[in-house]
Amino acid sequence: GQQVMQIPQYQHVQEGEDFTTYCNSSTTLSNIQWYKQRPGGHPVFLIQLVKSGEVKKQKRLTFQFGEAKKNSSLHITATQTTDVGTYFCAAREAGSYQLTFGKGTKLSVIP
Amino acid sequence: DSGVTQTPKHLITATGQRVTLRCSPRSGDLSVYWYQQSLDQGLQFLIQYYNGEERAKGNILERFSAQQFPDLHSELNLSSLELGDSALYFCASSPVGGGQAEAFFGQGTRLTVV
C-alpha cells in the first residue's frame, strides 16, 4: 500500500527559532494535505496542495509541494508556544481514493 | 467544533468483547473515513465510505468492520478485542470522496481494552 514518510519524528526548538517538517512518497501524488493536532485534540486541516511546485503561505507557515509531486514540506518561521503540536501530512496517490497520513512530527517549543 | 460527532467519547471493555463506535458526519458530507491512532503513533487509515459504499480499505483487521447507513452516519464494529486494539479511533468526514478535499475530524473515541 501507499507509504508516506515524514521526518523528523520529534523536534524541540527554542521559541523564535524556525521549524521544518518533510514528507516524502515513493509514488506520484495527486494532492497533499497538512494537518495539526494539538495535545489531546483531533487533527485540524491546515492546507491542501495540488499543483507541482506549489507554494502556499499562511502567516508564518509556508507549505511547498515538490516539482515531481512526491514530496512536501511545512516551514514555520519564528515559532511560538502556540505552534506546539503534531503536524501531519496526508497524501493521496494518483488514481487512489485513500488519504494516507504520515506518522507526524511532534513539535515542542521551549519558551 | 468540526461538526463531526463521535460517540462514545470513552469506552472501556474486556478482551474478547465486541464494541460499536458511531460517527455522524457534518451535514452534507458524503464521505466518512475511519482512522486508528495508537499512543505516539500516526493515523492509520482503516476504511472509507462514500454515500453508503466502501471506497477504500486500509490495514483494517478482519475482526473490524464498518458500514455507512442511508442517513450517512457510520459505525465501526470491533470484535474479539485484544489489548493491542486500545487506541484512539477517529472518524472524519468530507464533502467529496477520495481525499480530494479537507477532512473534518471528530473528537475521537478512546477505546481501552483491559
Side-chain angles (χ1 to χ4, degrees), chain B residues 7-28:
Chain B
T7 56
K9 286 189 169 48
H10 301 276
L11 197 48
I12 301 176
T13 190
T15 54
Q17 294 299 305
R18 172 190 167 94
V19 297
T20 297
L21 312 183
R22 183 188 167 98
C23 170
S24 294
R26 288 189 329 150
S27 178

Side-chain angles (χ1 to χ4, degrees), chain A residues 97-98, chain B residues 25 29-35 45-58 60 64-69 72-77 91-99:
Chain A
Y97 291 114
Q98 184 170 323
Chain B
D29 282 359
L30 300 178
S31 192
V32 168
Y33 304 82
W34 285 98
Y35 288 89
F45 172 71
L46 296 178
I47 199 162
Q48 184 211 346
Y49 283 86
Y50 179 77
N51 203 20
E53 293 189 5
E54 184 184 304
R55 263 281 174 94
K57 209 167 187 176
I60 187 168
F64 296 1
S65 65
Q67 55 183 326
Q68 187 179 27
F69 295 87
L72 300 178
H73 91 271
S74 179
E75 292 181 356
L76 178 66
N77 299 296
C91 163
S93 76
S94 180
V96 296

